[in-house]
Every structure is written in structure tokens, then in C-alpha cells.
Amino acid sequence: MTSATKSARWESFLEALRRAMQLLAWVSRSCLYPYAFFLGIVTVVAVFQVINLIDPPYVIKFQGALEDRVALSAPDGSLPECVYDVLIFAKPILLSRQSEFLSLTSQLKKVAGHRRDIKVECDAEPKQVQCSLQVSVSANETDLKHRDVVIFGLSPSSLRGRIDGLKSDSLHKPNQLWVFMSMLAPLKAIKLNPKLGSFPVHLSWTYMSASELTTPFGYYIPDEPMDTNVVIPNHSGKRKIMAWMGNNCGTDTYWPRDAYLNELSKHIHIDRYGPCTNLTCLPMDSEQCGMLMGQYKFFIAFEDAECQEYITNQFWQTALLHYTIPVVYGARKVSFLKFAPPGSYIHAADFASPKALADYLKVVAKNDGLYLKYFKWRSLGSIKKAYPPFRRESLCRLLPHIRDVKVGRLQRKPLSETKWYQSCRKGQNTSQISSLKTWVPWR
């Protein structure tokens, strides 16, 4: 065999080897493709999970209902789409500054320079349509036009000077549900918007039981004891007598609260917390402040206005949940008899003067048996805090009313005709009373 022949055969062998290696490489890559594809899917899923942890999807599940599924179904059995647009008429930046709305505002997505959106899913029971609410927050009047529902009042200052203009029919579509929601005392809301009484709404949504939609600050549940025995933690260690905590300096009160506190403090020691005092606990609705108030035998839960059923978290959370006897005033005693745990409070209107109240508190503070009597309710029932915060899923309660207004079963009426607007004390110009000499307790 010649050298040329040997060289040709060697080159042929090498070429065959190269082709075999190329084929082997191709086969290897082909076998790995399914694994690479699977790895890619896993990577994408993992990335989305991380994104959801950082920026979760804005879908809230809640039990709600609108109509009977059979009645609304099409001939082929399919269900119609049930999506309603809800506008909260408020400036997003102002709403975000109110701590009770953080569960709503922290989830909003910016969709325009003046508007932020969130979607709320309202799951239905069997045989009912599942609906969703596309909720926007905006104080731009042009955003009213195509909404099914508009909620006013959550940001009172957003209505200032605009009530007459909002009444224009050109701003909204027919059969649009108007809801006024407020957890303020009416006197304060009216002071911010003097024309508020003329504002037309279909529904009021307040803390009052007579409102079409009600969200109380708290409520009592009989026959569900909080404690099996009436034992006050650290009762013997309660060396402090009484505290008061307020966030204003008397500028937004509608009865002589400061004058009453000043007179009361002449006869019994009061530690005052707030921006106008030397004692501070912030934020005032925090658990930290509640625990601090729990060191006192009594807590003064004086509201800023004399209005029926206006019993705020000073009573429910700050006092009752922290084993402190609330000394109350604002709502008449009949409201406390209706809603509060029996025997859980001391109402200031039961006493002829601040001195008479102070004398009684001293007696209770020194008598363990009498003091513990005010906590007997804990072995008979329990309390629940309902507000704050504002729970966005509660908006699903609007669904049946949306349907009612669309078929003409609801008509708008001035806010002045609602029970909430009419609930405050009459017969005295309470906004101008500053002296106890011209004031008579609302019994």
C-alpha cells in the first residue's frame, strides 16, 4: 500500500470521526431541549412568585351577591359579565394620609395623573352571579361620567366648595348610585362643608344603625364571654388614676369639653395626652397607646360632639379592650344602653357637676369590689372592633343597591333628610358654647 493511499484513508477516517462527533453533539443538544424548556418554565414561574411577594395582585375575595344566576343567564346557559365601576370621590394623596384607609390606598395602582385604581372581586353564593368592582379614587369631576357608583364623604375636604357643581346632571350618567359615607360626627362634617345638607344621595353609609349601610366603630356580643372570671390584669398595680387623650386643641369640639376637663381636673388628677399637652403617645390608635392607657383606672372617652350613637374607638378599643373603665360623654346615655356592654362605663351626664363626678370616681378607685363590678360584662359577653380600618371588601355590600337604582327602586334625597344628619343635639348653638355656665348636659 502506497503512502498516498494510507494518507487518503486516514483523512477519510478523520472526516468520519468529525461527522460522528457532530452527530453526537446534535443528539446531545436535542435530548437536552426538553429539560431546557422545563427549566425555562420553572424560572418564569419563580420570577412571577417573587414579583407577587413584592407587588401582590390586587384581587380581594369576598362573599357577595347580586341576582339569581338562573334569572340572569342567557338561553345558552352562559352568564353575563358583571363588572361595575365605582368611584371614590377623593384626592388620592389626601385619602392616603388617613391611617384608616391604608388597606385601600396601599393597593391602588396609578392609571392616570389624577386617578388610582384597584379591582375588588365579590364572590357569589351558588345560583348567584359573581361580580367585580373596578374601584377608582379621584376628585376630578370628569371621572364621574361613566361610573355606576360614586362614594362621597371619605375625604370631606374634597367636597369643599364643589357641592353645587356636583349636582349638575351633565357630570354623571343616569341611574348612577350616589353614596355618602362618613364616620365623622355630622357637626364636624357640616362645618367643613356648610352646604352638605343640600347634597342629594341615594344612601348614607355611617356608624348609625338607622343608615342604609352601617359600619359601627365596635359592637357588643352577648353570650360570648371574653373572660371566664372577672380578673383585671395588674389591677393592684394600677397606680395611675385617670387619663385623657385627644388630637385637637378645642378647635373642633361642639360642646365645652375643655372647660369640663379643666373643672374636673381641679378635683381629681388627669394625665392629658395629645399635641397640646406635655404627654404624648403616637399614633393614638396604636396598641402601644392602648397598653399605656391600660395602666390607668379610668379613661376619659369624651367625644367632640353631642350626637346619637357617636361612640368611637376611644370607648371600644382604648378603654374596654385594655381593662380600663371609660368615663363617657357625647352620645346620650340611651345610645350606650343600646349598644355598649351593660355596666361597663360611667356616663358624665349622670352627675350634677364635674366635682360630683370626681367624688364618685374616687370612691370607685378605692373600692376593689365596686371597681371590678364594671368588668362583670366580660364574663357575659365580648366586644369586637369593627372600624378602623376601612375594609375594601366591604364595598361588595353596594351590589344589591346598584341593581335597585338601575331599575328605579331608589331615589336621591337631600342628605339633611337622613338620620345621620339629624342625629346631633338640637336646641343649643353648641358650636359657640364655651362656658359650663351656659351648658346643660345632654342626658
Side-chain angles (χ1 to χ4, degrees), residues 372-392:
L372 289 174
K373 182 180 178 181
Y374 283 92
F375 297 91
K376 185 178 180 180
W377 64 269
R378 298 182 69 95
S379 63
L380 303 174
S382 59
I383 61 170
K384 297 291 183 182
K385 174 189 164 186
Y387 182 94
F390 173 81
R391 293 175 173 82
R392 53 190 178 273

Side-chain angles (χ1 to χ4, degrees), residues 67-142:
E67 288 286 331
D68 186 271
R69 179 180 290 268
V70 176
L72 281 182
S73 60
D76 62 358
S78 63
L79 291 172
E81 185 179 16
C82 178
V83 180
Y84 291 115
D85 287 315
V86 178
L87 175 67
I88 296 176
F89 191 79
K91 295 179 180 178
I93 190 171
L94 294 181
L95 203 65
S96 65
R97 292 173 182 170
Q98 302 179 58
S99 60
E100 59 264 44
F101 300 118
L102 285 179
S103 64
L104 171 69
T105 57
S106 63
Q107 301 278 320
L108 292 171
K109 285 186 175 181
K110 190 171 184 179
V111 296
H114 59 271
R115 198 177 85 236
R116 295 176 183 269
D117 281 8
I118 187 174
K119 189 176 183 181
V120 179
E121 295 283 354
C122 302
D123 287 348
E125 298 290 346
K127 295 186 178 181
Q128 294 174 331
V129 173
Q130 178 177 328
C131 296
S132 63
L133 304 176
Q134 189 65 37
V135 183
S136 303
V137 178
S138 169
N140 193 318
E141 294 176 1
T142 60

Side-chain angles (χ1 to χ4, degrees), residues 320-331:
L320 293 187
L321 284 181
H322 293 94
Y323 295 91
T324 300
I325 299 177
V327 181
V328 303
Y329 187 78

Side-chain angles (χ1 to χ4, degrees), residues 118 147 194 276 278:
I118 187 174
R147 309 298 172 202
C276 303
N278 61 343

Side-chain angles (χ1 to χ4, degrees), residues 259-365:
Y260 193 103
L261 287 171
N262 290 336
E263 183 64 26
L264 184 64
S265 64
K266 294 178 182 178
H267 308 285
I268 191 170
H269 180 76
I270 303 173
D271 284 342
R272 302 193 193 191
Y273 291 81
C276 303
T277 70
N278 61 343
L279 296 175
T280 304
C281 188
L282 296 172
M284 290 187 175
D285 58 351
S286 66
E287 179 62 18
Q288 174 190 352
C289 288
M291 295 296 290
L292 178 59
M293 296 303 107
Q295 299 176 16
Y296 293 85
K297 291 181 179 290
F298 306 100
F299 177 78
I300 300 176
F302 286 178
E303 307 295 352
D304 51 20
E306 299 169 300
C307 300
Q308 287 287 54
E309 299 185 18
Y310 188 53
I311 307 173
T312 70
N313 269 329
Q314 289 190 81
F315 176 79
W316 297 103
Q317 180 178 352
T318 308
L320 293 187
L321 284 181
H322 293 94
Y323 295 91
T324 300
I325 299 177
V327 181
V328 303
Y329 187 78
R332 294 174 66 190
K333 189 173 181 179
V334 65
S335 292
F336 286 91
L337 290 172
K338 183 177 180 180
F339 298 105
S344 62
Y345 57 88
I346 297 171
H347 201 290
D350 287 340
F351 301 88
S353 65
K355 181 181 183 304
L357 172 60
D359 290 343
Y360 178 73
L361 294 176
K362 292 175 183 177
V363 172
V364 175

